Amino acid sequence: TEVLQRADSLKTALLNAVSHDLRTPLASIIASASSLRQGDVEWTDAERETFATDIEEQATRLSRIVTNLLDLSRMESGQLRPDRGWYDLSALVDDVVGRLRPLGSSHALHISVPDDLPPVPLDYIEIDEVLSNLVENAFRHTPAGTRIEIEARVEHREVAIEVSDDGPGIPAEALPHVFDPFVRLSVARDGKGGIGLGLAVARGLVEAHGGHIAAQRRSGGGTTFRFTLPLEAPVAAAR
């Protein structure tokens, strides 16, 4: 009975989330595309660029939602198997930051990754998704001008990665639920809240790697998300 109740509550939450979080960007894409196809209107280059940018942003948002939903489905069915290889964590951080830099243009970003950090056995796509979710959340849910920090270091036989901000922080009573699926802790600065899956997916991907992820309030205000990855893990021979 408990399992059935859990499945029913997840189904209800999923339907509620999909009804809003998929329809909203779709409506925006359709509106922008329809405007561009209006032959009786002479749009300026700036207006066309605005429509095209909106289509691209909303399509990217849809892609992230679908990816998170698929990852959650793989986790629930136990089919999540990281395809590990030896990777330079600094390069991965650079990829994520470069892709998300336009979103964080109003923030002060500080990155600290030691030059002598050893290669890490990880699934590049999956850990890219973990870090992207954490960094994007920091950009979206903290005021402009605040500081975002990304740090990595070796601790014993693990590498620890932290994403910290000095924003308003997460209420203490909400901390135990930050990694629950379909839980939204706040509304983003741009009013575009997520589906509430990013952190749940991040936890599943990190734990599939044999690591651990946690969130904690900072004494001076803000939040730190910290996850670890083991430095000793099996890597496919083909890698």
Side-chain angles (χ1 to χ4, degrees), residues 67-194:
T67 297
N68 282 337
L69 286 170
L70 291 174
D71 284 338
L72 184 68
S73 176
R74 290 164 60 205
M75 293 172 197
E76 293 287 335
S77 62
Q79 297 178 357
L80 195 62
R81 299 287 186 273
D83 182 16
R84 291 185 178 90
W86 295 101
Y87 291 103
D88 179 0
L89 190 62
S90 179
L92 190 151
V93 171
D94 287 343
D95 283 349
V96 171
V97 170
R99 187 171 62 250
L100 296 177
R101 191 171 293 279
L103 183 63
S105 59
S106 62
H107 290 76
L109 182 62
H110 175 76
I111 301 173
S112 177
V113 180
D115 293 335
D116 60 350
L117 195 72
V120 182
L122 52 83
D123 184 309
Y124 197 93
I125 294 175
E126 292 182 355
I127 299 305
D128 179 295
E129 186 173 352
V130 172
L131 191 58
S132 294
N133 275 324
L134 298 181
V135 175
E136 182 174 346
N137 279 349
F139 285 153
R140 288 192 181 278
H141 296 277
T142 57
T146 52
R147 179 182 173 92
I148 308 295
E149 300 176 3
I150 303 174
E151 299 183 52
R153 58 182 175 273
V154 173
E155 296 180 352
H156 306 295
R157 297 181 179 178
E158 298 178 322
V159 60
I161 302 96
E162 294 183 353
V163 177
S164 305
D165 65 72
D166 56 3
I170 297 174
E173 63 274 13
L175 276 177
H177 306 290
V178 294
F179 297 106
D180 293 347
F182 305 110
V183 171
R184 305 189 213 197
L185 300 176
S186 64
V187 177
R189 290 182 298 113
D190 56 8
K192 300 174 182 177

Side-chain angles (χ1 to χ4, degrees), residues 209-230:
H209 278 73
H212 178 71
I213 188 170
Q216 65 180 22
R217 291 165 57 87
R218 303 179 73 186
S219 58
T223 306
T224 293
F225 283 90
R226 180 181 187 273
F227 69 94
T228 60
L229 299 170

Side-chain angles (χ1 to χ4, degrees), residues 20-39:
H20 177 269
D21 292 277
L22 293 185
R23 290 177 64 185
T24 300
L26 278 173
S28 180
I29 290 171
I30 292 170
S32 295
S34 297
S35 297
L36 284 172
R37 296 187 69 244
Q38 287 182 332

